[in-house]
Amino acid sequence: MDHDLIISGGTVVDGTGSVGFKADVAVDNGKITRIGDLGGARAGETIDATGKLVTPGFVDLHTH
């Protein structure tokens, strides 16, 4: 396998204020390792995020 997890086909919103963009996100050992077109990559688990937002690094501000 190339990666532990690939989240594919979602719209990535990175929190910088930039417009969201379509991309795949690869995760290895709990960390994001690649963002982009990962069409040829393989993973132990794949999540289809088509039609969904992918927001890496989002923090839950409501935790007390």
Side-chain angles (χ1 to χ4, degrees), residues 5-62:
L5 169 68
I6 293 177
I7 303 168
S8 66
T11 300
V12 175
V13 178
D14 63 10
T16 64
S18 299
V19 176
F21 56 95
K22 290 282 241 184
D24 304 320
V25 177
V27 178
D28 295 296
N29 296 318
K31 296 186 180 185
I32 295 170
T33 54
R34 287 186 64 196
I35 298 176
D37 182 0
L38 304 176
R42 298 178 307 149
E45 180 180 2
T46 301
I47 297 172
D48 180 9
T50 302
K52 297 179 173 51
L53 297 177
V54 180
T55 55
F58 231 75
V59 177
D60 181 3
L61 300 176
H62 293 95

